[in-house]
Amino acid sequence: QVRLVESGGGFIQAGGSLNLTCFAPSPSFGDIVMGWFRQAPGKEREFVAIISWNGAVTYYTDSVKGRFTVSRDNSKNTIYLQMNDLKPEDTAVYYCNMATKYETGWGSPYSTWGQGTQVTVST
């Protein structure tokens, strides 16, 4: 199981920006699809974005399209999530993990998650 370490969250006003980082040291990091997920208070964890093994393909949930950008640096075993024009509804704990496509949408085949990083957006 890969150790996942998310960072970069914080408290920010609506319209602001944050850049999240996920460090996932693994010999196979450069071969796998990685994703960002988030969990708001009282809600289930949901998919945010994925990036293919080489960064050529990305996909976003509709609510963040045009505002969030996912990227990766395989030499550093790291993926990023640049979040612009943040909204109060983006408030959640953000997680990264290996991603895979199911019939119901994007998820992770792993049951173990990192500690996440809290993003709080005020009005």
PDB file of all heavy atoms in Angstrom, residues 77-98:
ATOM      1  N   ASN A  77       7.267  11.799  -7.508  1.00  0.00           N
ATOM      2  CA  ASN A  77       6.163  10.993  -6.969  1.00  0.00           C
ATOM      3  C   ASN A  77       5.067  11.888  -6.390  1.00  0.00           C
ATOM      4  O   ASN A  77       4.534  11.618  -5.302  1.00  0.00           O
ATOM      5  CB  ASN A  77       6.678  10.036  -5.877  1.00  0.00           C
ATOM      6  CG  ASN A  77       7.470   8.874  -6.451  1.00  0.00           C
ATOM      7  OD1 ASN A  77       7.515   8.672  -7.651  1.00  0.00           O
ATOM      8  ND2 ASN A  77       8.108   8.127  -5.581  1.00  0.00           N
ATOM      9  N   THR A  78       4.728  12.929  -7.116  1.00  0.00           N
ATOM     10  CA  THR A  78       3.830  13.951  -6.587  1.00  0.00           C
ATOM     11  C   THR A  78       2.786  14.363  -7.621  1.00  0.00           C
ATOM     12  O   THR A  78       3.096  14.459  -8.811  1.00  0.00           O
ATOM     13  CB  THR A  78       4.638  15.182  -6.158  1.00  0.00           C
ATOM     14  OG1 THR A  78       5.563  14.811  -5.125  1.00  0.00           O
ATOM     15  CG2 THR A  78       3.719  16.274  -5.624  1.00  0.00           C
ATOM     16  N   ILE A  79       1.571  14.570  -7.138  1.00  0.00           N
ATOM     17  CA  ILE A  79       0.552  15.221  -7.958  1.00  0.00           C
ATOM     18  C   ILE A  79       0.115  16.502  -7.265  1.00  0.00           C
ATOM     19  O   ILE A  79       0.301  16.645  -6.049  1.00  0.00           O
ATOM     20  CB  ILE A  79      -0.665  14.322  -8.252  1.00  0.00           C
ATOM     21  CG1 ILE A  79      -1.461  14.010  -6.975  1.00  0.00           C
ATOM     22  CG2 ILE A  79      -0.243  13.039  -8.953  1.00  0.00           C
ATOM     23  CD1 ILE A  79      -2.811  13.368  -7.266  1.00  0.00           C
ATOM     24  N   TYR A  80      -0.452  17.405  -8.041  1.00  0.00           N
ATOM     25  CA  TYR A  80      -0.852  18.711  -7.546  1.00  0.00           C
ATOM     26  C   TYR A  80      -2.298  18.987  -7.938  1.00  0.00           C
ATOM     27  O   TYR A  80      -2.805  18.439  -8.905  1.00  0.00           O
ATOM     28  CB  TYR A  80       0.045  19.806  -8.136  1.00  0.00           C
ATOM     29  CG  TYR A  80       1.524  19.556  -7.943  1.00  0.00           C
ATOM     30  CD1 TYR A  80       2.273  18.904  -8.917  1.00  0.00           C
ATOM     31  CD2 TYR A  80       2.163  19.966  -6.784  1.00  0.00           C
ATOM     32  CE1 TYR A  80       3.627  18.674  -8.750  1.00  0.00           C
ATOM     33  CE2 TYR A  80       3.529  19.738  -6.607  1.00  0.00           C
ATOM     34  CZ  TYR A  80       4.241  19.086  -7.594  1.00  0.00           C
ATOM     35  OH  TYR A  80       5.576  18.852  -7.421  1.00  0.00           O
ATOM     36  N   LEU A  81      -2.925  19.879  -7.201  1.00  0.00           N
ATOM     37  CA  LEU A  81      -4.240  20.371  -7.567  1.00  0.00           C
ATOM     38  C   LEU A  81      -4.248  21.875  -7.370  1.00  0.00           C
ATOM     39  O   LEU A  81      -4.287  22.347  -6.232  1.00  0.00           O
ATOM     40  CB  LEU A  81      -5.347  19.718  -6.736  1.00  0.00           C
ATOM     41  CG  LEU A  81      -6.769  20.069  -7.168  1.00  0.00           C
ATOM     42  CD1 LEU A  81      -7.074  19.491  -8.557  1.00  0.00           C
ATOM     43  CD2 LEU A  81      -7.793  19.556  -6.147  1.00  0.00           C
ATOM     44  N   GLN A  82      -4.177  22.599  -8.466  1.00  0.00           N
ATOM     45  CA  GLN A  82      -4.272  24.054  -8.403  1.00  0.00           C
ATOM     46  C   GLN A  82      -5.741  24.423  -8.402  1.00  0.00           C
ATOM     47  O   GLN A  82      -6.466  24.085  -9.349  1.00  0.00           O
ATOM     48  CB  GLN A  82      -3.560  24.680  -9.605  1.00  0.00           C
ATOM     49  CG  GLN A  82      -3.696  26.191  -9.676  1.00  0.00           C
ATOM     50  CD  GLN A  82      -2.998  26.894  -8.526  1.00  0.00           C
ATOM     51  OE1 GLN A  82      -1.903  26.532  -8.123  1.00  0.00           O
ATOM     52  NE2 GLN A  82      -3.665  27.895  -7.958  1.00  0.00           N
ATOM     53  N   MET A  83      -6.171  25.110  -7.364  1.00  0.00           N
ATOM     54  CA  MET A  83      -7.576  25.462  -7.206  1.00  0.00           C
ATOM     55  C   MET A  83      -7.709  26.971  -7.243  1.00  0.00           C
ATOM     56  O   MET A  83      -7.157  27.667  -6.382  1.00  0.00           O
ATOM     57  CB  MET A  83      -8.115  24.912  -5.884  1.00  0.00           C
ATOM     58  CG  MET A  83      -7.883  23.416  -5.709  1.00  0.00           C
ATOM     59  SD  MET A  83      -8.704  22.755  -4.252  1.00  0.00           S
ATOM     60  CE  MET A  83      -7.844  23.619  -2.971  1.00  0.00           C
ATOM     61  N   ASN A  84      -8.408  27.468  -8.227  1.00  0.00           N
ATOM     62  CA  ASN A  84      -8.643  28.898  -8.378  1.00  0.00           C
ATOM     63  C   ASN A  84     -10.112  29.211  -8.209  1.00  0.00           C
ATOM     64  O   ASN A  84     -10.969  28.340  -8.329  1.00  0.00           O
ATOM     65  CB  ASN A  84      -8.173  29.356  -9.761  1.00  0.00           C
ATOM     66  CG  ASN A  84      -6.690  29.154  -9.982  1.00  0.00           C
ATOM     67  OD1 ASN A  84      -5.886  29.267  -9.053  1.00  0.00           O
ATOM     68  ND2 ASN A  84      -6.300  28.865 -11.212  1.00  0.00           N
ATOM     69  N   ASP A  85     -10.395  30.482  -7.944  1.00  0.00           N
ATOM     70  CA  ASP A  85     -11.781  30.935  -7.792  1.00  0.00           C
ATOM     71  C   ASP A  85     -12.552  30.021  -6.837  1.00  0.00           C
ATOM     72  O   ASP A  85     -13.647  29.535  -7.152  1.00  0.00           O
ATOM     73  CB  ASP A  85     -12.468  30.978  -9.159  1.00  0.00           C
ATOM     74  CG  ASP A  85     -13.827  31.656  -9.116  1.00  0.00           C
ATOM     75  OD1 ASP A  85     -14.065  32.454  -8.185  1.00  0.00           O
ATOM     76  OD2 ASP A  85     -14.668  31.366  -9.989  1.00  0.00           O
ATOM     77  N   LEU A  86     -11.973  29.795  -5.696  1.00  0.00           N
ATOM     78  CA  LEU A  86     -12.583  28.880  -4.739  1.00  0.00           C
ATOM     79  C   LEU A  86     -13.921  29.402  -4.246  1.00  0.00           C
ATOM     80  O   LEU A  86     -14.126  30.623  -4.103  1.00  0.00           O
ATOM     81  CB  LEU A  86     -11.632  28.656  -3.566  1.00  0.00           C
ATOM     82  CG  LEU A  86     -10.502  27.661  -3.881  1.00  0.00           C
ATOM     83  CD1 LEU A  86      -9.343  27.844  -2.901  1.00  0.00           C
ATOM     84  CD2 LEU A  86     -11.027  26.237  -3.844  1.00  0.00           C
ATOM     85  N   LYS A  87     -14.822  28.463  -3.973  1.00  0.00           N
ATOM     86  CA  LYS A  87     -16.169  28.787  -3.519  1.00  0.00           C
ATOM     87  C   LYS A  87     -16.427  28.096  -2.186  1.00  0.00           C
ATOM     88  O   LYS A  87     -15.806  27.069  -1.890  1.00  0.00           O
ATOM     89  CB  LYS A  87     -17.186  28.309  -4.558  1.00  0.00           C
ATOM     90  CG  LYS A  87     -16.968  28.905  -5.942  1.00  0.00           C
ATOM     91  CD  LYS A  87     -17.971  28.341  -6.941  1.00  0.00           C
ATOM     92  CE  LYS A  87     -17.743  28.961  -8.329  1.00  0.00           C
ATOM     93  NZ  LYS A  87     -18.733  28.472  -9.315  1.00  0.00           N
ATOM     94  N   PRO A  88     -17.362  28.614  -1.396  1.00  0.00           N
ATOM     95  CA  PRO A  88     -17.660  27.964  -0.109  1.00  0.00           C
ATOM     96  C   PRO A  88     -18.006  26.483  -0.271  1.00  0.00           C
ATOM     97  O   PRO A  88     -17.682  25.679   0.611  1.00  0.00           O
ATOM     98  CB  PRO A  88     -18.843  28.781   0.407  1.00  0.00           C
ATOM     99  CG  PRO A  88     -18.627  30.135  -0.172  1.00  0.00           C
ATOM    100  CD  PRO A  88     -18.083  29.886  -1.548  1.00  0.00           C
ATOM    101  N   GLU A  89     -18.628  26.114  -1.364  1.00  0.00           N
ATOM    102  CA  GLU A  89     -18.993  24.710  -1.566  1.00  0.00           C
ATOM    103  C   GLU A  89     -17.798  23.820  -1.864  1.00  0.00           C
ATOM    104  O   GLU A  89     -17.931  22.591  -1.946  1.00  0.00           O
ATOM    105  CB  GLU A  89     -20.038  24.568  -2.683  1.00  0.00           C
ATOM    106  CG  GLU A  89     -19.682  25.258  -3.973  1.00  0.00           C
ATOM    107  CD  GLU A  89     -20.306  26.645  -4.084  1.00  0.00           C
ATOM    108  OE1 GLU A  89     -20.321  27.398  -3.072  1.00  0.00           O
ATOM    109  OE2 GLU A  89     -20.769  26.993  -5.198  1.00  0.00           O
ATOM    110  N   ASP A  90     -16.616  24.408  -2.038  1.00  0.00           N
ATOM    111  CA  ASP A  90     -15.395  23.623  -2.181  1.00  0.00           C
ATOM    112  C   ASP A  90     -14.821  23.212  -0.827  1.00  0.00           C
ATOM    113  O   ASP A  90     -13.842  22.465  -0.769  1.00  0.00           O
ATOM    114  CB  ASP A  90     -14.333  24.416  -2.949  1.00  0.00           C
ATOM    115  CG  ASP A  90     -14.724  24.709  -4.382  1.00  0.00           C
ATOM    116  OD1 ASP A  90     -15.282  23.808  -5.042  1.00  0.00           O
ATOM    117  OD2 ASP A  90     -14.480  25.846  -4.834  1.00  0.00           O
ATOM    118  N   THR A  91     -15.403  23.719   0.243  1.00  0.00           N
ATOM    119  CA  THR A  91     -14.931  23.374   1.578  1.00  0.00           C
ATOM    120  C   THR A  91     -15.040  21.870   1.812  1.00  0.00           C
ATOM    121  O   THR A  91     -16.115  21.289   1.661  1.00  0.00           O
ATOM    122  CB  THR A  91     -15.739  24.126   2.644  1.00  0.00           C
ATOM    123  OG1 THR A  91     -15.463  25.526   2.519  1.00  0.00           O
ATOM    124  CG2 THR A  91     -15.367  23.663   4.046  1.00  0.00           C
ATOM    125  N   ALA A  92     -13.923  21.245   2.147  1.00  0.00           N
ATOM    126  CA  ALA A  92     -13.876  19.791   2.328  1.00  0.00           C
ATOM    127  C   ALA A  92     -12.465  19.387   2.744  1.00  0.00           C
ATOM    128  O   ALA A  92     -11.533  20.205   2.691  1.00  0.00           O
ATOM    129  CB  ALA A  92     -14.248  19.072   1.041  1.00  0.00           C
ATOM    130  N   VAL A  93     -12.335  18.138   3.143  1.00  0.00           N
ATOM    131  CA  VAL A  93     -11.013  17.537   3.275  1.00  0.00           C
ATOM    132  C   VAL A  93     -10.676  16.900   1.934  1.00  0.00           C
ATOM    133  O   VAL A  93     -11.468  16.131   1.389  1.00  0.00           O
ATOM    134  CB  VAL A  93     -10.973  16.478   4.394  1.00  0.00           C
ATOM    135  CG1 VAL A  93      -9.567  15.870   4.484  1.00  0.00           C
ATOM    136  CG2 VAL A  93     -11.369  17.088   5.731  1.00  0.00           C
ATOM    137  N   TYR A  94      -9.504  17.252   1.409  1.00  0.00           N
ATOM    138  CA  TYR A  94      -9.089  16.772   0.097  1.00  0.00           C
ATOM    139  C   TYR A  94      -8.079  15.633   0.252  1.00  0.00           C
ATOM    140  O   TYR A  94      -7.130  15.727   1.035  1.00  0.00           O
ATOM    141  CB  TYR A  94      -8.489  17.911  -0.710  1.00  0.00           C
ATOM    142  CG  TYR A  94      -9.545  18.841  -1.258  1.00  0.00           C
ATOM    143  CD1 TYR A  94     -10.241  19.693  -0.411  1.00  0.00           C
ATOM    144  CD2 TYR A  94      -9.853  18.854  -2.612  1.00  0.00           C
ATOM    145  CE1 TYR A  94     -11.233  20.529  -0.905  1.00  0.00           C
ATOM    146  CE2 TYR A  94     -10.832  19.696  -3.116  1.00  0.00           C
ATOM    147  CZ  TYR A  94     -11.519  20.526  -2.260  1.00  0.00           C
ATOM    148  OH  TYR A  94     -12.502  21.354  -2.759  1.00  0.00           O
ATOM    149  N   TYR A  95      -8.294  14.590  -0.518  1.00  0.00           N
ATOM    150  CA  TYR A  95      -7.457  13.391  -0.483  1.00  0.00           C
ATOM    151  C   TYR A  95      -6.962  13.055  -1.888  1.00  0.00           C
ATOM    152  O   TYR A  95      -7.613  13.377  -2.877  1.00  0.00           O
ATOM    153  CB  TYR A  95      -8.249  12.183   0.018  1.00  0.00           C
ATOM    154  CG  TYR A  95      -8.887  12.321   1.367  1.00  0.00           C
ATOM    155  CD1 TYR A  95     -10.157  12.878   1.513  1.00  0.00           C
ATOM    156  CD2 TYR A  95      -8.239  11.865   2.508  1.00  0.00           C
ATOM    157  CE1 TYR A  95     -10.759  12.978   2.754  1.00  0.00           C
ATOM    158  CE2 TYR A  95      -8.834  11.956   3.759  1.00  0.00           C
ATOM    159  CZ  TYR A  95     -10.093  12.514   3.873  1.00  0.00           C
ATOM    160  OH  TYR A  95     -10.677  12.614   5.100  1.00  0.00           O
ATOM    161  N   CYS A  96      -5.857  12.364  -1.951  1.00  0.00           N
ATOM    162  CA  CYS A  96      -5.400  11.794  -3.214  1.00  0.00           C
ATOM    163  C   CYS A  96      -5.317  10.280  -3.059  1.00  0.00           C
ATOM    164  O   CYS A  96      -5.228   9.747  -1.949  1.00  0.00           O
ATOM    165  CB  CYS A  96      -4.047  12.344  -3.622  1.00  0.00           C
ATOM    166  SG  CYS A  96      -2.701  11.903  -2.520  1.00  0.00           S
ATOM    167  N   ASN A  97      -5.372   9.586  -4.185  1.00  0.00           N
ATOM    168  CA  ASN A  97      -5.237   8.147  -4.168  1.00  0.00           C
ATOM    169  C   ASN A  97      -5.158   7.657  -5.604  1.00  0.00           C
ATOM    170  O   ASN A  97      -5.464   8.415  -6.543  1.00  0.00           O
ATOM    171  CB  ASN A  97      -6.417   7.478  -3.470  1.00  0.00           C
ATOM    172  CG  ASN A  97      -6.006   6.220  -2.718  1.00  0.00           C
ATOM    173  OD1 ASN A  97      -5.090   5.527  -3.135  1.00  0.00           O
ATOM    174  ND2 ASN A  97      -6.677   5.943  -1.618  1.00  0.00           N
ATOM    175  N   MET A  98      -4.786   6.412  -5.771  1.00  0.00           N
ATOM    176  CA  MET A  98      -4.870   5.790  -7.081  1.00  0.00           C
ATOM    177  C   MET A  98      -6.331   5.830  -7.519  1.00  0.00           C
ATOM    178  O   MET A  98      -7.225   5.666  -6.681  1.00  0.00           O
ATOM    179  CB  MET A  98      -4.371   4.355  -7.026  1.00  0.00           C
ATOM    180  CG  MET A  98      -4.477   3.630  -8.335  1.00  0.00           C
ATOM    181  SD  MET A  98      -3.889   1.920  -8.212  1.00  0.00           S
ATOM    182  CE  MET A  98      -4.283   1.303  -9.836  1.00  0.00           C
TER     183      MET A  98
END
